[in-house]
Amino acid sequence: MKVVLLEGLGVSEQVIEQHARKLESMGHTFVAYPKNTDPLVQAEWSRDADVIMLANMPLAPVVLEEAKNLKFIDVAFTGVDHIPMAEAKQRGIAVSNASGYATQAVAELCVSFMIQLLRNVGKTEERCRNGGTKDGLVGCELQGKTVGSLYVMPGCAKRVAALCKAFGCSVLAYNRSTVSDPAIDEQVSLEELLKRSDIVSLHCPLTADTKGMIGKDQLALMKKSALLINTARGGVLDSAALADALEKGEIAGAACDVFETEPPLPTDHPLLHCPNTIVTPHIAFASVESMEQRADIVFNNLYSWLDGKQVNAV
């Protein structure tokens, strides 16, 4: 088999070389390329590949069209909305992901966003750097707040719920199926969750059903004192509607780590210029520990598939 890695995995060259040697000792060929988003370049590099490995770089449909021998796509990421899944399914190409690798990293950043917004960290830091004080910016504690989590699933959402419970929060959940999690106090409708929550945290995949699920009408249901956190997928949220709600003071603040497109963002993106907003360029999943765990998972996916036992199948 020829295995082609189309982008770096955020670990040392020594780790990649170790796996390359192992694959070669098993009789396979391993080739690693630097990240290149040009579909034609991707197609050329993948033309004779049996296996493609990549992280969150979009994989163009033309790559699958050109890779006639392709049998397995090994995704070092949780979401697969950047993969042409319909084409893969039609071709019978197996796809596995690295679900769970960044659970702790995402959850920690999510809770830190809550605390930073509640305590006005951004504003008070700016004051401090300019010789000012905290006057008029004394914030609130996370303890005692009601946190609403959308689409509670194994992984990040449950870990966030557990951390929030440790801080003394009440946790509401909205999910189409019944949630079984001791950290959840109550499962409610989406409308009730939005109305009751002090903090709404998004934890849902981007699908046809969830695309734009939080827009103008949903934001209007939230408390004026409420915060919105998005560490899920950018397309779940209507950025223009959120920016408008923030500008009008219809909600108190927001933190977004994900957007409709991968950063770098255009400088006129509406969420870059809103009050009481934290924006980060998709960093939630990226920690030293999570990158190491991701590499372990994605190579284990590969070895299991080569052994005829697909794991983490999408």
Side-chain angles (χ1 to χ4, degrees):
M1 295 283 183
K2 181 173 182 179
V3 180
V4 174
L5 175 61
L6 288 179
E7 61 176 317
L9 297 179
V11 293
S12 68
E13 291 183 9
Q14 289 78 10
V15 171
I16 300 300
E17 289 171 359
Q18 180 182 355
H19 286 290
R21 287 194 297 270
K22 180 176 179 177
L23 287 164
E24 289 166 3
S25 72
M26 297 167 65
H28 305 297
T29 302
F30 179 83
V31 182
Y33 291 106
K35 181 176 180 178
N36 193 311
T37 57
D38 186 333
L40 296 180
V41 173
Q42 292 179 9
E44 179 61 30
W45 287 346
S46 306
R47 196 176 305 280
D48 55 351
D50 297 284
V51 177
I52 289 175
M53 301 175 70
L54 77 165
N56 65 329
M57 176 178 68
L59 187 67
V62 68
V63 177
L64 273 65
E65 295 171 9
E66 294 294 324
K68 305 299 183 185
N69 298 328
L70 188 61
K71 304 172 185 67
F72 182 44
I73 302 174
D74 196 3
V75 185
F77 211 62
T78 300
V80 293
D81 45 282
H82 59 300
I83 304 296
M85 290 298 295
E87 290 85 347
K89 183 177 180 179
Q90 185 178 21
R91 286 265 307 276
I93 298 168
V95 180
S96 288
N97 69 358
S99 180
Y101 78 92
T103 295
Q104 186 68 20
V106 173
E108 288 187 8
L109 187 71
C110 184
V111 173
S112 81
F113 281 159
M114 298 178 188
I115 294 171
Q116 289 180 72
L117 287 169
L118 286 168
R119 298 297 297 272
N120 295 313
V121 171
K123 290 181 178 179
T124 52
E125 181 189 16
E126 184 179 359
R127 285 265 192 95
C128 190
R129 290 181 184 279
N130 289 288
T133 70
K134 67 183 185 309
D135 291 353
L137 291 175
V138 175
C140 301
E141 296 175 0
L142 181 55
Q143 179 175 273
K145 299 296 183 290
T146 297
V147 176
S149 182
L150 267 67
Y151 278 66
V152 175
M153 304 176 295
C156 297
K158 288 192 173 185
R159 188 64 186 135
V160 169
L163 291 176
C164 287
K165 288 297 289 184
F167 273 95
C169 300
S170 297
V171 182
L172 306 178
Y174 166 68
N175 195 39
R176 291 185 175 181
S177 58
T178 301
V179 174
S180 178
D181 184 345
I184 301 301
D185 293 296
E186 194 176 350
Q187 187 168 352
V188 298
S189 68
L190 176 58
E191 180 176 301
E192 186 173 352
L193 181 145
L194 293 169
K195 287 180 177 179
R196 290 173 54 186
S197 297
D198 298 303
I199 303 168
V200 174
S201 189
L202 307 185
H203 301 285
C204 39
L206 179 60
T207 67
D209 291 333
T210 64
K211 185 178 174 68
M213 70 178 295
I214 302 298
K216 180 179 180 180
D217 293 342
Q218 290 73 34
L219 292 165
L221 296 173
M222 294 174 62
K223 301 176 183 179
K224 286 195 172 185
S225 58
L227 307 173
L228 179 68
I229 314 291
N230 189 11
T231 55
R233 290 291 180 270
V236 171
L237 176 67
D238 183 335
S239 292
L242 175 58
D244 188 57
L246 290 162
E247 291 288 355
K248 293 178 178 177
E250 293 174 354
I251 67 171
C256 292
D257 182 55
V258 286
F259 307 88
E260 301 86 347
T261 59
E262 281 294 301
L265 301 175
T267 56
D268 61 350
H269 191 285
L271 290 177
L272 299 184
H273 308 285
C274 294
N276 304 325
T277 307
I278 299 172
V279 289
T280 50
H282 203 174
I283 67 168
F285 70 94
S287 68
V288 170
E289 295 86 353
S290 65
M291 294 297 96
E292 292 173 349
Q293 186 176 2
R294 180 176 75 167
D296 288 343
I297 292 172
V298 76
F299 276 104
N300 181 61
N301 287 349
L302 176 59
Y303 299 135
S304 296
W305 179 82
L306 289 170
D307 196 36
K309 302 170 185 176
Q310 186 184 4
V311 295
N312 293 318
V314 178

